[in-house]
Amino acid sequence: GGGGGSSGEVGPRSDRSDAGDVVPAVNPKSVIGAVNDASEQLRAMDEVVSAFDDKGLVAADRHKEKSDDFWTMNHMKLLYLISKYSHCAQTVHEKERWIRKLPMLVLIYEGIVQKVFEYDYAPASEVVETTRVYLNVSQEGKDDLDDLVEGKLVKGLRLSTKEHQSVTAYQISPSGLALISKRLPDEERQLVDDLCIVDGKLLQVVWEDKRFLLRTMTFSRESTVTDAEDVSYVVSPYLPKTLRRVGGPIMSSNAHRASESATKESTIRDDLDEVITISNVTILIGEWIPFGANQVVELNLKLGSNERCQGGYFTAQVDDDSTNTQCEVPTGLTSVSILDHDMTRFTNIEAEVYYPEDEGIVQIEHFGIHTRMDGTIVYGLMIESVLDRILENISLDNLARLLVDVHVDSSRIMESLLSNHQRDLLDMIFLGNTLNRDKVNVIIADRVVPKMSAERYLDKDAFENELRQVLGDTHEAHDLSDNDIVITGSHGIMLIGPHSKMQEPVMLAFLSLRSRDVFVHNVFNRLFIIDDTLKTARQLIAKYEQDPNSIPRIRHTLSETSKDIILLEEVLLYLRESLEQDTSIYAEPTDESGYRLYQVLKVKTILNDLHVRIEDMQKVLLGARHEVNGLRQMADTIAETQMFRLQEEIRGNSSDMLQQLKINERQSTSLDVMQVIFAGSLAFDILDRLTGEWSVVHTSWARAYIVDPFMSKPMLWFIISMMVWFGVGTGVFSMMRDLNDRTAGVITYRVKVNKGIDLNALDDFLSRKSVISEDGDADALNANQKVSWIEKDVSRWEGYQPKIEMIYDVKHGFLLSVYMQVTRRASKPARLRPETMKMRFFTELQEAGVMAPDDAAEVIDNTRRRQTRQGELVMIEDSSVFLKVRVPGERHYREIPFGRQSYLELREEIAHKFECKPVQVLQVFKEPDILIADDDDVSRLKPGTVLEVNIKNFSGYKSAQQELPAPP
């Protein structure tokens, strides 16, 4: 059998066990006795039972035992393949070995390709980890797997993955081992061994880099199970009349091109067995995308619905350089034409796909697309031909391949029409795998061959396997009338009969609700992933001391999760509003056939379930938001704890430094004493060299001039020694005080710049400097360089030699900060102010072409802008940012910084420049003879103005001072 019907409902399939269902993880040996007893009791029961018994083991066919003749050679080879990968534990110390269903499907496909199994296959959507992938799946192989489980030859185990997906695993049973040892010939065993064994090693199926690999320790090859096969086909756009406006344009038809596919090829690698064919096929494919009135308006504006030239060609590529002359787009465009629309409610369009296909394949894809404000998207198409079949006898094998192609291409079409925000929502829900998102199929056909009652199609054999290729796991089959039947499955429904299109309103209601149901399922899976992410974040918080980088990682995780929660809240709001907008489409039909279809499709039940599920997910999402807030508070607490520890360490280090300073102070005192002693020793040594105690004093001249006059007199030589000691000590202290005075005065200025620079000009600039140190610091975002040098041009810096340290980003070309330091005599007034240092340095950078003039002026002006009358700002327009000052009789000028100055501040600047006190600055004139006497006069000064000052007792012009009038 194929899919799982409801175990508690009595219907056309109520007597069928769900062979695809398997068991939770239990110890098989512990329950074998209970299973045997239970199975004996269940055989005597007529009521419907679940495919699982109360012990968790998959139930067998309760009604009859399968004889050995039931098992085909494909069953035997499949059973033998399972035995190679599974093992039933015989003791408590052994481990159970099971083979998962997905690798099993890959091995079955490889067996079909290598002619080991006589099965068909068709592309089907399967979830691999968190990605939905189209795989070539054999429904006949899956059916035989279910037969083996039902016949108790294979045991099934159900597991939950870390991605919260339910997976199945298989293990051969003792009865299965006994059967293959009795029934499977050696030559058939050899075929299976050749399939799964290479160089004596069992092949392992591995999912890696979005592909399946068959691998051993020494061998690896890629499986083609993910290569979906293409067929040539021609389709025309179609939309139900209930979605169209009366009097709208007639839809296009490609019926005249139907023969084009008959002369072309396909990429099918298998010989297909056709069991069911259908004629005059119409397909409706539905999905739900978050939409609202504003998104519909944006879509209509994007399509140019109200313009003279509507529609056009579209692509999903975003134009990153909209001002450039030319643009390039990848191959594959979509041509769109407008049928009818309402600016805020819906849009009906025709979309023709121009995507490249393999050589020899012709696919004329022309869809009708209906987008509605409630988020329902309907893709409609009529099949004109598939390969050499025109309208009639369309094979379900080929139809399955056509549906896969239509699903992927329809996703590409919508990607080119959706807004960026809608694409972000879909990327978040489907984890970036939006092209393969699952959709719902409604297949409508006039006739089917062979024609039978509905329940006979669900035969757990060839008919049902064919249907599962297009409908997924089949659920139910019903006769709506003598000629109309409906078959439901996990991926949609098939409605066959001459009156099938009369039930389009019911089918659209089902399509709209079932599309929401599929989307809600994906949203719920996304909630599980968020829950896992939060659990991981909590574990990181609990072990944050083991990883120094955990706090930034936790903050990033919480930030991304919070963003996803916001988007999920928006999606749920769209879902809830979509169910409440237009309830008329879910109304019960009045005709008998429509009402019966309405009941079979359970439209009202799906609608009520969606309300409950959405409300439940809102509660889960609210809990996740509270969890994020709680984890964020915990992360903040950890950060505060780390900061507190850092402060404690700093406090401890500060105490150690203070203690060290005290020790240094005591050592300094000792050093002073030692210096005095050293001075005395030096003085005595000098005297010894002069007197020559061991030789000179014995000479006649030494006795005449040193010994007799000084050394022979009591205490005289001692007094001379003390005087020399004092003189030498005084000289040493004076020299040390002078040395300390030269470096005691410090002028520093630190500027945070953050302006762009020309790195090439900077290299030229630094090549002219005497660089003393360079240091680099790089991470994933920045590459910072620190360079230091000492200026040699003392004339530019008032006799000083500043040390300049610059930090800049070599990756992005930004000057980050500048630090300037000048050491000077502390006993004399400074000839250079910090603002002057900054102005001269950035002026030099501007002149060297390192910084743009506007950026240099902005850096200078940010810290030196003066405010005048009522908020008026004085802007520096001239390149000069100084005032020129001189005294009478001088031929050269001295520069003082121009900026926010009052009259008193101006006098202080001048006093600093001329190394005098401000009270000595008697008068300030603006050349030629305009007196500057108050703040208003100062405010009218311009950059570069020449000032002449009278300074009391200034040596440069004492004679001229007598001719000047007394100060006011």
Side-chain angles (χ1 to χ4, degrees):
S6 299
S7 60
E9 293 182 2
V10 179
R13 292 191 63 188
S14 60
D15 60 337
R16 302 174 66 241
S17 61
D18 190 345
D21 290 332
V22 281
V23 302
V26 295
N27 185 351
K29 293 188 64 179
S30 65
V31 295
I32 284 183
V35 171
N36 292 335
D37 295 337
S39 61
E40 290 294 330
Q41 296 175 5
L42 288 169
R43 290 191 187 97
M45 298 173 61
D46 292 330
E47 62 182 286
V48 177
V49 294
S50 170
F52 292 81
D53 62 23
D54 56 357
K55 298 297 183 181
L57 290 178
V58 178
D61 192 336
R62 314 297 190 184
H63 299 282
K64 60 181 179 180
E65 291 285 350
K66 292 181 173 62
S67 64
D68 289 351
D69 295 335
F70 173 81
W71 308 111
T72 65
M73 191 54 62
N74 280 328
H75 282 111
M76 292 295 99
K77 288 186 283 189
L78 196 59
L79 194 58
Y80 181 63
L81 180 62
I82 295 174
S83 71
K84 305 297 289 185
Y85 288 89
S86 63
H87 173 70
C88 182
Q90 303 298 319
T91 66
V92 294
H93 301 290
E94 290 183 341
K95 289 187 177 180
E96 299 276 345
R97 249 193 354 257
W98 304 70
I99 178 171
R100 295 181 178 87
K101 183 177 183 179
L102 198 56
M104 192 69 200
L105 296 179
V106 176
L107 290 172
I108 291 175
Y109 166 77
E110 293 294 332
I112 298 172
V113 174
Q114 298 183 27
K115 308 300 181 181
V116 177
F117 299 108
E118 297 177 359
Y119 294 144
D120 285 345
Y121 61 81
S125 177
E126 297 286 344
V127 177
V128 183
E129 293 181 345
T130 58
T131 305
R132 185 166 291 277
V133 182
Y134 286 105
L135 305 179
N136 291 319
V137 176
S138 171
Q139 299 297 334
E140 295 173 342
K142 290 176 66 176
D143 181 68
D144 283 355
L145 274 176
D146 295 338
D147 290 340
L148 294 173
V149 173
E150 287 184 346
K152 288 189 175 181
L153 301 179
V154 168
K155 292 182 285 187
L157 178 72
R158 177 149 296 177
L159 305 167
S160 292
T161 68
K162 63 180 181 180
E163 294 86 13
H164 301 282
Q165 301 291 338
S166 179
V167 298
T168 305
Y170 300 104
Q171 182 189 77
I172 191 167
S173 67
S175 57
L177 288 171
L179 184 62
I180 59 176
S181 64
K182 181 174 59 175
R183 291 278 311 274
L184 187 63
D186 292 340
E187 58 272 16
E188 302 294 342
R189 291 173 185 252
Q190 187 60 43
L191 289 175
V192 177
D193 289 340
D194 293 341
L195 169 65
C196 63
I197 297 177
V198 175
D199 298 332
K201 301 294 184 181
L202 198 63
L203 284 175
Q204 301 296 319
V205 180
V206 181
W207 173 252
E208 186 177 283
D209 296 333
K210 298 183 179 180
R211 57 180 182 169
F212 280 102
L213 300 177
L214 301 174
R215 174 186 295 173
T216 66
M217 296 296 292
T218 58
F219 171 84
S220 179
R221 72 175 176 88
E222 183 178 353
S223 173
T224 58
V225 69
T226 56
D227 297 340
E229 299 167 336
D230 291 326
V231 294
S232 297
Y233 60 84
V234 178
V235 297
S236 297
Y238 173 80
L239 285 177
K241 293 181 180 179
T242 53
L243 300 179
R244 297 293 311 279
R245 276 187 170 173
V246 178
I250 299 175
M251 302 191 73
S252 303
S253 174
N254 294 318
H256 60 286
R257 304 182 62 183
S259 60
E260 293 184 22
S261 66
T263 60
K264 297 301 178 181
E265 306 171 359
S266 72
T267 59
I268 299 176
R269 296 179 290 271
D270 187 27
D271 296 329
L272 304 180
D273 296 328
E274 295 182 2
V275 180
I276 298 177
T277 61
I278 53 179
S279 302
N280 296 329
V281 183
T282 301
I283 299 176
L284 299 178
I285 299 173
E287 68 171 332
W288 188 88
I289 295 176
F291 254 96
N294 290 316
Q295 277 87 356
V296 175
V297 172
E298 182 179 356
L299 176 60
N300 279 309
L301 293 176
K302 188 174 184 178
L303 296 173
S305 300
N306 290 330
E307 297 177 6
R308 176 180 176 182
C309 297
Q310 299 176 339
Y313 289 92
F314 289 85
T315 178
Q317 177 174 311
V318 177
D319 191 358
D320 296 326
D321 192 6
S322 59
T323 60
N324 203 355
T325 304
Q326 294 177 306
C327 66
E328 294 182 357
V329 296
T331 305
L333 299 176
T334 302
S335 174
V336 174
S337 59
I338 311 298
L339 293 175
D340 41 52
H341 73 283
D342 184 286
M343 284 301 293
T344 59
R345 295 179 56 205
F346 71 92
T347 304
N348 290 327
I349 61 176
E350 287 184 2
E352 188 169 3
V353 178
Y354 294 94
Y355 295 141
E357 303 294 345
D358 294 336
E359 185 177 358
I361 301 296
V362 170
Q363 293 181 349
I364 300 174
E365 296 179 88
H366 208 166
F367 302 158
I369 301 178
H370 170 79
T371 60
R372 199 161 60 216
M373 183 175 62
D374 65 0
T376 301
I377 312 294
V378 178
Y379 310 94
L381 52 105
M382 295 176 59
I383 298 180
E384 304 291 351
S385 64
V386 178
L387 294 177
D388 58 344
R389 309 289 177 85
I390 299 177
L391 291 179
E392 305 289 335
N393 300 322
I394 304 297
S395 167
L396 294 188
D397 294 286
N398 293 330
L399 185 61
R401 290 163 173 82
L402 182 150
L403 284 174
V404 170
D405 200 56
V406 171
H407 279 204
V408 175
D409 289 345
S410 61
S411 297
R412 290 177 179 171
I413 292 173
M414 286 309 298
E415 187 177 5
S416 63
L417 299 179
L418 295 175
S419 65
N420 290 334
H421 183 62
Q422 287 173 302
R423 285 197 287 265
D424 290 341
L425 291 176
L426 293 180
D427 284 338
M428 183 271 300
I429 295 295
F430 296 100
L431 300 175
N433 187 35
T434 57
L435 285 182
N436 292 339
R437 59 183 182 267
D438 41 347
K439 300 180 177 70
V440 182
N441 302 322
V442 173
I443 302 171
I444 307 170
D446 288 349
R447 295 186 306 279
V448 59
V449 177
K451 177 70 174 70
M452 302 182 294
S453 61
E455 57 188 22
R456 293 185 61 186
Y457 289 103
L458 304 185
D459 62 342
K460 300 167 65 173
D461 204 348
F463 290 128
E464 187 169 0
N465 292 335
E466 287 273 293
L467 292 171
R468 288 166 69 175
Q469 293 183 149
V470 294
L471 298 181
D473 291 336
T474 50
H475 293 167
E476 297 176 354
H478 295 269
D479 290 307
L480 300 179
S481 64
D482 293 339
N483 296 316
D484 298 331
I485 62 172
V486 60
I487 304 172
T488 64
S490 59
H491 294 164
I493 63 173
M494 179 181 291
L495 191 62
I496 302 173
H499 306 101
S500 55
K501 285 191 178 181
M502 296 176 60
Q503 309 303 330
E504 283 181 345
V506 180
M507 288 185 288
L508 290 173
F510 168 79
L511 195 63
S512 177
L513 290 175
R514 188 71 179 88
S515 300
R516 289 182 179 88
D517 183 71
V518 170
F519 194 87
V520 166
H521 179 72
N522 287 288
V523 172
F524 193 65
N525 288 339
R526 193 67 177 81
L527 288 177
F528 275 121
I529 295 175
I530 286 180
D531 184 63
D532 273 353
T533 303
L534 295 178
K535 287 180 181 178
T536 303
R538 183 174 286 275
Q539 292 173 359
L540 289 175
I541 290 175
K543 301 177 181 179
Y544 76 95
E545 293 181 346
Q546 301 176 7
D547 184 1
N549 298 319
S550 60
I551 295 301
R553 191 182 307 122
I554 291 168
R555 291 185 182 276
H556 176 74
T557 299
L558 294 180
S559 175
E560 292 297 317
T561 305
S562 181
K563 182 185 72 174
D564 291 343
I565 289 176
I566 292 173
L567 294 178
L568 283 171
E569 288 176 341
E570 181 181 352
V571 167
L572 290 182
L573 185 60
Y574 275 120
L575 278 168
R576 188 178 64 184
E577 290 179 350
S578 71
L579 295 176
E580 299 171 352
Q581 282 177 357
D582 187 6
T583 58
S584 61
I585 61 175
Y586 313 124
E588 295 181 356
T590 55
D591 61 294
E592 181 179 353
S593 179
Y595 180 76
R596 177 165 174 76
L597 180 61
Y598 186 88
Q599 295 296 324
V600 168
L601 298 181
K602 304 175 183 176
V603 174
K604 188 67 73 174
T605 302
I606 297 176
L607 179 61
N608 294 333
D609 289 347
L610 283 173
H611 280 289
V612 175
R613 294 177 66 187
I614 292 172
E615 184 177 356
D616 179 68
M617 285 193 296
Q618 286 177 329
K619 298 175 185 176
V620 176
L621 203 57
L622 181 62
R625 176 168 287 281
H626 290 327
E627 177 74 3
V628 169
N629 294 335
L631 293 177
R632 186 175 285 119
Q633 291 177 0
M634 293 173 65
D636 293 340
T637 302
I638 292 173
E640 292 174 359
T641 302
Q642 291 180 334
M643 185 62 67
F644 178 75
R645 290 179 180 176
L646 179 60
Q647 292 174 352
E648 290 295 320
E649 292 177 1
I650 293 175
R651 185 179 295 116
N653 293 336
S654 300
S655 300
D656 295 341
M657 292 174 60
L658 181 60
Q659 188 68 24
Q660 189 64 38
L661 288 174
K662 292 180 180 179
I663 294 174
N664 292 340
E665 186 177 356
R666 292 195 296 269
Q667 291 177 349
S668 177
T669 304
S670 302
L671 182 60
D672 292 341
V673 175
M674 291 300 297
Q675 288 175 346
V676 173
I677 297 174
F678 168 74
S681 300
L682 180 60
F684 297 151
D685 287 341
I686 292 173
L687 288 176
D688 289 342
R689 295 304 96 194
L690 291 175
T691 58
E693 180 178 357
W694 305 106
S695 58
V696 177
V697 293
H698 299 294
T699 61
S700 58
W701 69 268
R703 284 195 298 270
Y705 294 103
I706 296 176
V707 176
D708 294 338
F710 301 108
M711 298 183 69
S712 60
K713 302 292 191 296
M715 297 298 295
L716 181 58
W717 186 250
F718 175 76
I719 293 173
I720 292 174
S721 298
M722 293 299 104
M723 292 175 62
V724 173
W725 184 10
F726 177 77
V728 173
T730 302
V732 171
F733 273 113
S734 298
M735 181 182 66
M736 293 181 61
R737 188 163 52 246
D738 182 70
L739 292 175
N740 291 333
D741 181 68
R742 290 185 180 184
T743 59
V746 179
I747 304 173
T748 61
Y749 205 94
R750 189 181 302 274
V751 186
K752 182 174 287 188
V753 184
N754 292 334
K755 295 292 183 182
I757 57 175
D758 186 337
L759 292 176
N760 294 327
L762 179 62
D763 291 339
D764 295 338
F765 175 79
L766 293 177
S767 66
R768 301 191 294 271
K769 303 296 180 181
S770 301
V771 177
I772 58 176
S773 68
E774 291 187 79
D775 185 22
D777 180 17
D779 55 24
L781 300 177
N782 301 300
N784 295 341
Q785 188 81 12
K786 181 169 69 174
V787 59
S788 302
W789 71 91
I790 296 178
E791 291 285 346
K792 301 298 183 181
D793 187 4
V794 294
S795 61
R796 185 179 182 87
W797 302 96
E798 303 292 339
Y800 298 133
Q801 290 184 311
K803 179 182 179 182
I804 299 178
E805 181 180 277
M806 175 190 296
I807 301 177
Y808 59 97
D809 188 344
V810 297
K811 185 175 182 180
H812 302 101
F814 266 78
L815 178 58
L816 304 180
S817 64
V818 174
Y819 177 71
M820 295 172 282
Q821 181 180 13
V822 170
T823 56
R824 64 176 182 84
R825 285 188 177 274
S827 59
K828 294 184 178 181
R831 298 189 299 272
L832 198 63
R833 301 299 302 277
E835 291 88 352
T836 307
M837 292 171 54
K838 178 198 69 174
M839 294 174 184
R840 292 187 180 181
F841 176 71
F842 284 100
T843 301
E844 184 179 5
L845 289 182
Q846 173 189 340
E847 293 172 351
V850 178
M851 292 185 68
D854 293 342
D855 290 340
E858 183 179 350
V859 173
I860 295 172
D861 193 47
N862 280 343
T863 56
R864 201 63 178 168
R865 176 181 290 174
R866 64 186 178 88
Q867 190 170 1
T868 58
R869 303 180 186 89
Q870 298 181 357
E872 177 187 1
L873 296 180
V874 176
M875 303 302 298
I876 302 175
E877 298 178 355
D878 188 29
S879 61
S880 174
V881 289
F882 305 102
L883 295 175
K884 300 178 179 179
V885 185
R886 68 179 181 180
V887 296
E890 283 188 339
R891 294 183 178 180
H892 63 278
Y893 298 98
R894 309 190 190 196
E895 295 177 343
I896 62 173
F898 170 82
R900 187 187 304 169
Q901 292 162 323
S902 64
Y903 179 68
L904 293 178
E905 289 175 338
L906 179 63
R907 291 179 63 189
E908 289 178 356
E909 295 279 2
I910 295 173
H912 276 289
K913 180 61 65 175
F914 287 92
E915 299 183 1
C916 63
K917 297 180 180 179
V919 295
Q920 292 180 263
V921 181
L922 303 179
Q923 291 174 319
V924 181
F925 290 92
K926 176 183 176 184
E927 289 189 344
D929 56 358
I930 300 174
L931 180 66
I932 306 298
D934 54 24
D935 292 345
D936 288 340
D937 294 337
V938 174
S939 67
R940 285 190 288 270
L941 295 178
K942 300 293 184 182
T945 302
V946 178
L947 301 180
E948 191 171 285
V949 296
N950 295 331
I951 300 178
K952 183 178 180 181
N953 297 329
F954 187 66
S955 59
Y957 69 107
K958 286 186 177 180
S959 59
Q961 179 192 1
Q962 298 174 357
E963 301 177 2
L964 295 175

